[in-house]
Amino acid sequence: MTYQATPFILLDGEAKAAIAFYARALDAEIAFTQTFGEGPADPGHPVPDAAKDRVAHAVLKLGGADLFVADAFPGTAGPDGGRVQVCLTVPDAETSRRFFDALADGGRIVMPLRKIHFSPSYGVVTDRFGVTFQIFTSR
């Protein structure tokens, strides 16, 4: 099986400026950006007006590597999970569950593993060492 670990920079309303900076400073190509407001509506998790213009996800290409950059939801940024996280991309929900549960053992679940509009199984967990992982299952 193939897995991918990608650094994920999580900011508090500064993602657009950071993306422009990294593109310039690192000769990075901006491959994708989407704000929270541009994502599909989810009546169970409505996006507040204060979050609609924040970057929900961006992908920068640095040579052969990816760098993810996004803003936290308003009011959720802080020392918990730090500003740099690791996004683990895995091919199937069974592996996601196995990785998620192993990292949660002695750690803390930030967002339970669940189906979401961009992944059949996605969750966020901070392990026992204080490192936050986003577990992302490819479609």
Side-chain angles (χ1 to χ4, degrees), residues 4-18:
Q4 181 178 344
T6 306
F8 197 119
I9 298 172
L10 187 63
L11 300 169
D12 190 12
E14 302 169 305
K16 287 180 181 178

Side-chain angles (χ1 to χ4, degrees), residues 66-135:
D66 287 346
L67 175 65
F68 295 164
V69 181
D71 284 314
F73 229 62
T76 64
D80 184 42
R83 292 173 68 111
V84 178
Q85 301 180 355
V86 178
C87 182
L88 292 177
T89 302
V90 297
D92 59 79
E94 181 180 313
T95 303
S96 290
R97 173 56 61 194
R98 187 167 50 87
F99 285 4
F100 188 87
D101 288 347
L103 291 166
D105 185 18
R108 187 179 63 76
I109 295 171
V110 177
M111 177 182 169
L113 201 60
R114 65 181 173 94
K115 183 178 180 180
I116 196 161
H117 72 275
F118 55 83
S119 174
S121 185
Y122 173 83
V124 182
V125 61
T126 300
D127 72 11
R128 67 181 74 182
F129 303 104
V131 178
T132 299
F133 289 86
Q134 298 182 30
I135 309 297

Side-chain angles (χ1 to χ4, degrees), residues 5-37:
T6 306
F8 197 119
I9 298 172
L10 187 63
L11 300 169
D12 190 12
E14 302 169 305
K16 287 180 181 178
I19 291 164
F21 172 76
Y22 295 135
R24 207 173 41 254
L26 303 174
D27 292 329
E29 172 195 343
I30 302 169
F32 176 82
T33 61
Q34 183 178 51
T35 65
F36 285 104

